[in-house]
Each structure stands twice: as structure tokens, then as C-alpha cells.
Amino acid sequence: MCDINWSEVFEEIDTNGNGVVEVEELFDHLSNVFPSISRYTVESDLEEYDTNKDGEVTKAEFVRAMYKRYLQNPDDIELALKTFDTDNSGYLSKEELTAAMKKMCMDHSSENIQKIITSVSKNDQIDYKEFVKAAMEL
């Protein structure tokens, strides 16, 4: 999960280079991997990814959606924690959580980071169980 650069994937999908993923672009991309995928599925996915409901899926929306989707699998959550835990302490510090949220194109303001930490942890670091809880709330 964490080895995938979702920004690069977005660039591959955005074949016309207009900075948004359109139904036809995502359908073409996915049908190469999943020949039986339906246009309806692609349209539904794009509607879900379009968090501000402006009818377009930007790079930030796409990257956030991909990380959220993959952070629902316990194995991927564990891998993500290990990847984001750059000092190998077994915990995420505020700084590591900030860097992770930034990478996932999510709100990495100090206020949001503190809100996340406060909601799942009794101290200023997040362990595996707390990370799982935080990931499920994304």
C-alpha cells in the first residue's frame, strides 16, 4: 500500500493533463487491469472520490480516496504505521503523523493533528491500536 505513489498514479490516469480525473480516463485505465469493470462502477467511484461535490476529482481528492480505501485493511494499516514510523519507535509522533497526513493529501494542520491524537491517545504519540482506530475514522 505505502509503496504506491498515488500522485504518480493520478498523473498516469489524467491523460489529457487537465488536473482532474474524468470518467473516461479512469475507465480506460482500470479496464486495462480489470476488463470486466463497468462504467457505472467507475462513475460511482468517482462520485465517492469527489469530496467537495464539484463534479471533478482533483489530485488531492484522488490521493486521499486511495489512502482511505487502502487503510481499511488491517495488513495495510500495519504496513502504513511501519512506513510512517520513521524513527522505528513503534509509535507515531506528532511530526510523523503530520508527515503521513501530508503525504496522504489530508488536513495536516497542527489543529487537526492535535485533534486526531487527542481522540485516540492519552499522550502525544500513537501506537498500533490507536493508529488502527484513527485510520478507521478517516
Short mmCIF file of all heavy atoms in Angstrom, two decimals, residues 39-73:
data_model
loop_
_atom_site.label_atom_id
_atom_site.label_comp_id
_atom_site.label_asym_id
_atom_site.label_seq_id
_atom_site.Cartn_x
_atom_site.Cartn_y
_atom_site.Cartn_z
N ARG A 39 -18.72 0.82 -16.50
CA ARG A 39 -18.68 2.27 -16.47
C ARG A 39 -19.42 2.80 -15.24
O ARG A 39 -19.01 3.76 -14.61
CB ARG A 39 -19.29 2.85 -17.75
CG ARG A 39 -19.11 4.34 -17.88
CD ARG A 39 -19.53 4.84 -19.24
NE ARG A 39 -18.77 4.25 -20.34
CZ ARG A 39 -17.53 4.60 -20.67
NH1 ARG A 39 -16.91 5.52 -20.02
NH2 ARG A 39 -16.93 4.02 -21.68
N TYR A 40 -20.50 2.11 -14.85
CA TYR A 40 -21.26 2.51 -13.68
C TYR A 40 -20.38 2.46 -12.42
O TYR A 40 -20.43 3.36 -11.58
CB TYR A 40 -22.49 1.60 -13.50
CG TYR A 40 -23.23 1.87 -12.21
CD1 TYR A 40 -24.08 2.98 -12.10
CD2 TYR A 40 -23.05 1.05 -11.11
CE1 TYR A 40 -24.75 3.24 -10.92
CE2 TYR A 40 -23.71 1.30 -9.91
CZ TYR A 40 -24.55 2.40 -9.82
OH TYR A 40 -25.20 2.67 -8.64
N THR A 41 -19.57 1.41 -12.28
CA THR A 41 -18.67 1.29 -11.13
C THR A 41 -17.69 2.45 -11.09
O THR A 41 -17.45 3.04 -10.03
CB THR A 41 -17.91 -0.06 -11.19
OG1 THR A 41 -18.86 -1.12 -11.13
CG2 THR A 41 -16.92 -0.19 -10.06
N VAL A 42 -17.14 2.79 -12.24
CA VAL A 42 -16.18 3.89 -12.32
C VAL A 42 -16.87 5.20 -11.96
O VAL A 42 -16.34 6.01 -11.20
CB VAL A 42 -15.54 3.96 -13.73
CG1 VAL A 42 -14.70 5.21 -13.89
CG2 VAL A 42 -14.71 2.70 -13.98
N GLU A 43 -18.06 5.42 -12.49
CA GLU A 43 -18.80 6.65 -12.17
C GLU A 43 -19.10 6.73 -10.68
O GLU A 43 -18.96 7.80 -10.07
CB GLU A 43 -20.10 6.70 -12.97
CG GLU A 43 -19.89 6.95 -14.45
CD GLU A 43 -21.15 6.80 -15.28
OE1 GLU A 43 -22.20 6.36 -14.73
OE2 GLU A 43 -21.10 7.09 -16.48
N SER A 44 -19.49 5.61 -10.08
CA SER A 44 -19.78 5.57 -8.65
C SER A 44 -18.53 5.88 -7.83
O SER A 44 -18.59 6.62 -6.85
CB SER A 44 -20.33 4.21 -8.23
OG SER A 44 -21.57 3.98 -8.84
N ASP A 45 -17.41 5.27 -8.23
CA ASP A 45 -16.15 5.53 -7.52
C ASP A 45 -15.78 7.01 -7.60
O ASP A 45 -15.42 7.62 -6.59
CB ASP A 45 -15.01 4.68 -8.09
CG ASP A 45 -15.09 3.22 -7.68
OD1 ASP A 45 -15.91 2.89 -6.79
OD2 ASP A 45 -14.33 2.42 -8.25
N LEU A 46 -15.86 7.59 -8.79
CA LEU A 46 -15.50 8.99 -8.95
C LEU A 46 -16.42 9.90 -8.13
O LEU A 46 -15.96 10.88 -7.55
CB LEU A 46 -15.50 9.40 -10.42
CG LEU A 46 -14.28 8.96 -11.21
CD1 LEU A 46 -14.40 9.39 -12.67
CD2 LEU A 46 -12.99 9.50 -10.62
N GLU A 47 -17.69 9.55 -8.07
CA GLU A 47 -18.62 10.34 -7.27
C GLU A 47 -18.22 10.29 -5.80
O GLU A 47 -18.28 11.31 -5.09
CB GLU A 47 -20.04 9.81 -7.46
CG GLU A 47 -21.09 10.67 -6.80
CD GLU A 47 -22.49 10.18 -7.12
OE1 GLU A 47 -22.78 9.87 -8.28
OE2 GLU A 47 -23.29 10.11 -6.16
N GLU A 48 -17.78 9.13 -5.34
CA GLU A 48 -17.33 8.98 -3.95
C GLU A 48 -16.05 9.78 -3.71
O GLU A 48 -15.88 10.40 -2.66
CB GLU A 48 -17.08 7.51 -3.66
CG GLU A 48 -16.56 7.23 -2.26
CD GLU A 48 -16.21 5.76 -2.08
OE1 GLU A 48 -16.80 4.90 -2.73
OE2 GLU A 48 -15.31 5.49 -1.26
N TYR A 49 -15.12 9.78 -4.66
CA TYR A 49 -13.85 10.48 -4.50
C TYR A 49 -14.01 11.99 -4.51
O TYR A 49 -13.19 12.71 -3.94
CB TYR A 49 -12.87 10.11 -5.63
CG TYR A 49 -12.56 8.65 -5.79
CD1 TYR A 49 -11.99 8.18 -6.96
CD2 TYR A 49 -12.83 7.70 -4.80
CE1 TYR A 49 -11.69 6.83 -7.14
CE2 TYR A 49 -12.55 6.36 -4.96
CZ TYR A 49 -11.98 5.94 -6.14
OH TYR A 49 -11.68 4.62 -6.33
N ASP A 50 -15.05 12.48 -5.18
CA ASP A 50 -15.29 13.92 -5.32
C ASP A 50 -15.87 14.48 -4.01
O ASP A 50 -17.06 14.72 -3.90
CB ASP A 50 -16.24 14.18 -6.49
CG ASP A 50 -16.52 15.65 -6.73
OD1 ASP A 50 -15.76 16.51 -6.22
OD2 ASP A 50 -17.52 15.95 -7.41
N THR A 51 -15.00 14.70 -3.04
CA THR A 51 -15.47 15.05 -1.70
C THR A 51 -16.10 16.43 -1.61
O THR A 51 -16.95 16.66 -0.76
CB THR A 51 -14.33 14.94 -0.67
OG1 THR A 51 -13.23 15.76 -1.10
CG2 THR A 51 -13.88 13.49 -0.53
N ASN A 52 -15.71 17.35 -2.48
CA ASN A 52 -16.34 18.69 -2.41
C ASN A 52 -17.53 18.81 -3.36
O ASN A 52 -18.14 19.87 -3.45
CB ASN A 52 -15.32 19.80 -2.67
CG ASN A 52 -14.79 19.82 -4.08
OD1 ASN A 52 -15.17 18.99 -4.92
ND2 ASN A 52 -13.90 20.75 -4.36
N LYS A 53 -17.85 17.72 -4.05
CA LYS A 53 -19.04 17.60 -4.91
C LYS A 53 -19.12 18.69 -5.99
O LYS A 53 -20.20 19.16 -6.32
CB LYS A 53 -20.32 17.59 -4.07
CG LYS A 53 -20.36 16.50 -3.02
CD LYS A 53 -20.18 15.13 -3.62
CE LYS A 53 -20.18 14.03 -2.56
NZ LYS A 53 -19.59 12.80 -3.01
N ASP A 54 -17.95 19.02 -6.56
CA ASP A 54 -17.95 19.99 -7.66
C ASP A 54 -17.95 19.33 -9.04
O ASP A 54 -17.84 19.99 -10.06
CB ASP A 54 -16.76 20.95 -7.54
CG ASP A 54 -15.41 20.28 -7.73
OD1 ASP A 54 -15.36 19.03 -7.87
OD2 ASP A 54 -14.39 20.99 -7.74
N GLY A 55 -18.07 17.99 -9.06
CA GLY A 55 -18.12 17.27 -10.32
C GLY A 55 -16.76 16.92 -10.89
O GLY A 55 -16.68 16.36 -11.98
N GLU A 56 -15.69 17.23 -10.15
CA GLU A 56 -14.34 16.93 -10.61
C GLU A 56 -13.56 16.24 -9.50
O GLU A 56 -13.77 16.53 -8.32
CB GLU A 56 -13.60 18.21 -11.01
CG GLU A 56 -14.23 18.96 -12.14
CD GLU A 56 -13.47 20.23 -12.51
OE1 GLU A 56 -12.78 20.80 -11.65
OE2 GLU A 56 -13.58 20.63 -13.67
N VAL A 57 -12.66 15.33 -9.87
CA VAL A 57 -11.80 14.67 -8.90
C VAL A 57 -10.39 15.17 -9.12
O VAL A 57 -9.74 14.85 -10.12
CB VAL A 57 -11.88 13.13 -9.02
CG1 VAL A 57 -10.90 12.48 -8.06
CG2 VAL A 57 -13.30 12.66 -8.75
N THR A 58 -9.93 16.00 -8.18
CA THR A 58 -8.59 16.57 -8.25
C THR A 58 -7.56 15.56 -7.74
O THR A 58 -7.93 14.52 -7.17
CB THR A 58 -8.49 17.84 -7.40
OG1 THR A 58 -8.72 17.47 -6.02
CG2 THR A 58 -9.49 18.90 -7.84
N LYS A 59 -6.30 15.89 -7.90
CA LYS A 59 -5.24 15.02 -7.40
C LYS A 59 -5.37 14.82 -5.89
O LYS A 59 -5.27 13.69 -5.41
CB LYS A 59 -3.86 15.58 -7.72
CG LYS A 59 -2.72 14.65 -7.28
CD LYS A 59 -1.35 15.26 -7.43
CE LYS A 59 -0.95 15.34 -8.86
NZ LYS A 59 0.47 15.73 -9.04
N ALA A 60 -5.61 15.89 -5.15
CA ALA A 60 -5.73 15.76 -3.70
C ALA A 60 -6.90 14.84 -3.32
O ALA A 60 -6.75 13.99 -2.44
CB ALA A 60 -5.90 17.13 -3.05
N GLU A 61 -8.03 14.98 -3.98
CA GLU A 61 -9.18 14.12 -3.69
C GLU A 61 -8.87 12.67 -4.03
O GLU A 61 -9.23 11.76 -3.28
CB GLU A 61 -10.41 14.59 -4.47
CG GLU A 61 -11.00 15.88 -3.97
CD GLU A 61 -12.11 16.42 -4.85
OE1 GLU A 61 -11.97 16.37 -6.10
OE2 GLU A 61 -13.11 16.90 -4.30
N PHE A 62 -8.21 12.45 -5.16
CA PHE A 62 -7.87 11.10 -5.59
C PHE A 62 -6.92 10.44 -4.61
O PHE A 62 -7.14 9.30 -4.18
CB PHE A 62 -7.26 11.14 -7.00
CG PHE A 62 -6.85 9.80 -7.52
CD1 PHE A 62 -7.78 8.95 -8.08
CD2 PHE A 62 -5.53 9.39 -7.45
CE1 PHE A 62 -7.41 7.69 -8.56
CE2 PHE A 62 -5.15 8.14 -7.93
CZ PHE A 62 -6.08 7.29 -8.48
N VAL A 63 -5.86 11.15 -4.24
CA VAL A 63 -4.86 10.58 -3.33
C VAL A 63 -5.49 10.27 -1.98
O VAL A 63 -5.28 9.18 -1.42
CB VAL A 63 -3.65 11.54 -3.18
CG1 VAL A 63 -2.70 11.08 -2.09
CG2 VAL A 63 -2.90 11.65 -4.52
N ARG A 64 -6.29 11.18 -1.44
CA ARG A 64 -6.98 10.93 -0.17
C ARG A 64 -7.86 9.69 -0.27
O ARG A 64 -7.85 8.83 0.62
CB ARG A 64 -7.86 12.13 0.22
CG ARG A 64 -7.16 13.20 0.97
CD ARG A 64 -8.15 14.18 1.57
NE ARG A 64 -9.08 14.76 0.61
CZ ARG A 64 -8.88 15.88 -0.06
NH1 ARG A 64 -7.77 16.56 0.10
NH2 ARG A 64 -9.78 16.32 -0.90
N ALA A 65 -8.61 9.58 -1.35
CA ALA A 65 -9.51 8.44 -1.52
C ALA A 65 -8.75 7.12 -1.58
O ALA A 65 -9.19 6.12 -1.00
CB ALA A 65 -10.35 8.62 -2.79
N MET A 66 -7.62 7.11 -2.26
CA MET A 66 -6.84 5.87 -2.37
C MET A 66 -6.29 5.46 -1.01
O MET A 66 -6.35 4.28 -0.64
CB MET A 66 -5.71 6.04 -3.38
CG MET A 66 -6.17 6.22 -4.81
SD MET A 66 -7.17 4.85 -5.44
CE MET A 66 -8.82 5.50 -5.24
N TYR A 67 -5.75 6.40 -0.26
CA TYR A 67 -5.24 6.05 1.06
C TYR A 67 -6.36 5.60 1.98
O TYR A 67 -6.21 4.62 2.71
CB TYR A 67 -4.46 7.21 1.69
CG TYR A 67 -3.03 7.26 1.23
CD1 TYR A 67 -2.59 8.25 0.37
CD2 TYR A 67 -2.12 6.30 1.65
CE1 TYR A 67 -1.27 8.28 -0.05
CE2 TYR A 67 -0.80 6.32 1.23
CZ TYR A 67 -0.38 7.32 0.38
OH TYR A 67 0.91 7.34 -0.04
N LYS A 68 -7.49 6.27 1.94
CA LYS A 68 -8.61 5.86 2.78
C LYS A 68 -9.06 4.45 2.44
O LYS A 68 -9.34 3.64 3.31
CB LYS A 68 -9.78 6.83 2.64
CG LYS A 68 -9.57 8.12 3.37
CD LYS A 68 -10.77 9.02 3.22
CE LYS A 68 -10.58 10.31 3.97
NZ LYS A 68 -11.78 11.17 3.91
N ARG A 69 -9.12 4.16 1.15
CA ARG A 69 -9.54 2.83 0.72
C ARG A 69 -8.58 1.76 1.22
O ARG A 69 -8.99 0.72 1.73
CB ARG A 69 -9.64 2.78 -0.80
CG ARG A 69 -10.00 1.41 -1.33
CD ARG A 69 -10.28 1.44 -2.78
NE ARG A 69 -11.64 1.92 -2.94
CZ ARG A 69 -12.26 2.06 -4.09
NH1 ARG A 69 -11.63 1.77 -5.20
NH2 ARG A 69 -13.49 2.49 -4.15
N TYR A 70 -7.29 2.01 1.11
CA TYR A 70 -6.31 1.01 1.50
C TYR A 70 -6.11 0.94 3.00
O TYR A 70 -5.64 -0.08 3.51
CB TYR A 70 -5.00 1.22 0.75
CG TYR A 70 -5.12 0.72 -0.66
CD1 TYR A 70 -5.52 1.55 -1.69
CD2 TYR A 70 -4.90 -0.62 -0.96
CE1 TYR A 70 -5.69 1.09 -2.98
CE2 TYR A 70 -5.06 -1.10 -2.25
CZ TYR A 70 -5.45 -0.24 -3.26
OH TYR A 70 -5.62 -0.71 -4.51
N LEU A 71 -6.47 1.98 3.72
CA LEU A 71 -6.32 1.95 5.18
C LEU A 71 -7.51 1.29 5.86
O LEU A 71 -7.70 1.43 7.06
CB LEU A 71 -6.09 3.36 5.72
CG LEU A 71 -4.70 3.91 5.46
CD1 LEU A 71 -4.58 5.34 5.98
CD2 LEU A 71 -3.61 3.04 6.08
N GLN A 72 -8.28 0.53 5.13
CA GLN A 72 -9.37 -0.25 5.72
C GLN A 72 -8.94 -1.70 5.96
O GLN A 72 -9.61 -2.44 6.63
CB GLN A 72 -10.61 -0.21 4.82
CG GLN A 72 -11.14 1.18 4.57
CD GLN A 72 -11.42 1.95 5.86
OE1 GLN A 72 -12.13 1.48 6.72
NE2 GLN A 72 -10.85 3.13 5.97
N ASN A 73 -7.81 -2.09 5.41
CA ASN A 73 -7.29 -3.45 5.53
C ASN A 73 -6.26 -3.48 6.68
O ASN A 73 -5.30 -2.72 6.66
CB ASN A 73 -6.63 -3.84 4.21
CG ASN A 73 -6.00 -5.21 4.25
OD1 ASN A 73 -5.44 -5.65 5.24
ND2 ASN A 73 -6.09 -5.90 3.12
#
